Amino acid sequence: MSTALPHPDAITGALLVGTWASSLVYMAELLEAVKYFRAFKKDDWKLKSYIAVVFGIDTISAIGDYACVYLYTITHAGDLVYLTKQNWAVPLYVISTTCVAFLVQSFLAFMYWRFTKNTIFVCFLSILILGAFGGGLSAGLTVTLFPAYKDRNKARIPGTIWIGTQLAADLTIAGALVLELMKAKSLFKGERRVNNMLNRLVSHTIRTGTATAVIAVVALIIFLIDDETNIPNGILYTSGRVYVLSMLINLNIRDSFGRPQNWTTSSGPRGTVRGAHGTTYNFSTVQFCPTEPHSSNSESIKSSAWLPTLQSPANISDTQPLDIEMMPTDTKQGVPEV
């Protein structure tokens, strides 16, 4: 076996820089997680458990990244034979990042299905998500069985499938959500506040979808050019953090819309918020449904955690009780209290 010292920039340097970037994103992720569990205590326990599991797996992945660098630079510093192999933390990061991406993409796909009920398209998304999941697990298993850097070419096919299908899934989900949000804007012509909210959602969806896609495509290109360098690994160190961060922001954005100044809150078992424009808004931790009480032919759309819906009054009574209900004020009372 060759004991030639690999170039430290490509082996340990790329991983070290990757942990620095990962730490910055993880701090933002941690703040969003604390914000979510503090602000949305009434969310369904299943959703909160799901978030906790995703966050926990990503935390394990981040710890594994630090362990990988520590083993290379401290524990086995100067060990030329050790530097020619990928330690146990490398497949750990591949498998954990794959699991995080799978859970977050599945969550977004489910939210899209709740919004559109487009089962055929969601099945297509599921194929991409499962393809990325299988490719990632295969890549992690290959690295476990063939840890030497000279054998990295054995992971080329599963690694390409993993990153390629993950990239396709990210872009497809982001594009589909943006398209549905743009369609929703046509239902709220003249509603400046709602349109501003939708514009923010569109902007956020594009940013998060683009971020994960850029990370994936840059890592894939570098890996195909040189499969013995750790630069793709260093880049992908931030991937899991970005996925979880985008998921948490999608949930926490519900708290950032605030409340218009012409709404008042009245007491009641569910809490009612009254608007002055003859529009009824029903908010829950899973969906919110603005309704025009005087329109008999309103269009109906289903909603996800952050997407607005418009329902006819007849449909309101058929839905489950909501946490917050926004009812129109009596028009005879004039402008409601602030």
Side-chain angles (χ1 to χ4, degrees), residues 253-294:
I253 202 171
R254 293 173 293 168
D255 193 45
S256 66
F257 295 146
R259 185 177 299 167
Q261 293 183 349
N262 58 345
W263 294 353
T264 59
T265 303
S266 61
S267 60
R270 291 187 298 171
T272 61
V273 182
R274 305 181 182 275
H277 300 293
T279 302
T280 302
Y281 293 83
N282 294 313
F283 282 85
S284 73
T285 56
V286 178
Q287 64 180 11
F288 63 94
C289 311
T291 345
E292 296 294 344
H294 301 298

Side-chain angles (χ1 to χ4, degrees), residues 146-183:
F146 304 97
Y149 280 102
K150 64 182 181 64
D151 294 328
R152 280 276 286 269
N153 63 314
K154 298 182 184 297
R156 178 179 288 265
I157 294 178
T160 302
I161 294 174
W162 170 39
I163 300 176
T165 51
Q166 185 171 290
L167 169 64
D170 289 339
L171 293 178
T172 303
I173 292 173
L177 289 174
V178 169
L179 180 61
E180 294 303 324
L181 286 168
M182 297 303 293
K183 290 180 180 178

Side-chain angles (χ1 to χ4, degrees), residues 26-268:
Y26 184 79
M27 182 57 65
E29 174 190 340
L30 180 61
L31 293 175
E32 289 293 331
V34 172
K35 178 181 178 180
Y36 170 75
F37 286 106
R38 284 182 176 178
F40 299 101
K41 296 180 180 179
K42 294 184 179 180
D43 270 8
D44 187 86
W45 68 271
K46 295 178 182 178
L47 176 60
K48 291 190 289 187
S49 299
Y50 194 88
I51 301 301
V53 169
V54 175
F55 181 77
I57 295 175
D58 193 54
T59 299
I60 293 174
S61 179
I63 294 174
D65 297 343
Y66 299 132
C68 179
V69 175
Y70 188 89
L71 289 172
Y72 276 131
T73 59
I74 304 298
T75 305
H76 297 278
D79 188 341
L80 304 184
V81 175
Y82 189 84
L83 288 177
T84 63
K85 297 180 180 180
Q86 300 169 95
N87 59 39
W88 58 266
V90 175
L92 172 64
Y93 116 79
V94 173
I95 293 175
S96 58
T97 300
T98 298
C99 291
V100 167
F102 172 77
L103 292 172
V104 173
Q105 289 174 339
S106 298
F107 171 80
L108 295 175
F110 175 72
M111 291 295 98
Y112 177 84
W113 179 81
R114 286 285 301 272
F115 186 62
T116 64
K117 296 297 182 181
N118 191 339
T119 305
I120 296 177
F121 184 75
V122 172
C123 287
F124 172 71
L125 282 178
S126 299
I127 294 174
L128 293 177
I129 294 171
L130 289 173
F133 183 68
L137 292 183
S138 298
L141 180 60
T142 302
V143 173
T144 303
L145 296 176
F146 304 97
Y149 280 102
K150 64 182 181 64
D151 294 328
R152 280 276 286 269
N153 63 314
K154 298 182 184 297
R156 178 179 288 265
I157 294 178
T160 302
I161 294 174
W162 170 39
I163 300 176
T165 51
Q166 185 171 290
L167 169 64
D170 289 339
L171 293 178
T172 303
I173 292 173
L177 289 174
V178 169
L179 180 61
E180 294 303 324
L181 286 168
M182 297 303 293
K183 290 180 180 178
K185 288 183 63 177
S186 64
L187 300 176
F188 297 94
K189 293 180 179 179
E191 292 288 343
R192 181 177 179 182
R193 181 175 181 79
V194 177
N195 276 279
N196 288 340
M197 177 192 69
L198 290 173
N199 287 333
R200 290 176 58 192
L201 290 172
V202 169
S203 176
H204 167 69
T205 303
I206 293 175
R207 288 198 304 269
T208 55
T210 302
T212 55
V214 168
I215 291 173
V217 72
V218 172
L220 178 60
I221 292 173
I222 297 176
F223 176 70
L224 293 177
I225 294 175
D226 184 2
D227 55 21
E228 291 191 23
T229 179
N230 269 337
I231 294 177
N233 291 345
I235 294 173
L236 288 174
Y237 270 5
T238 61
S239 180
R241 302 332 61 95
V242 173
Y243 272 112
V244 182
L245 181 61
S246 66
M247 183 180 183
L248 290 169
I249 291 176
N250 276 326
L251 292 169
N252 288 339
I253 202 171
R254 293 173 293 168
D255 193 45
S256 66
F257 295 146
R259 185 177 299 167
Q261 293 183 349
N262 58 345
W263 294 353
T264 59
T265 303
S266 61
S267 60

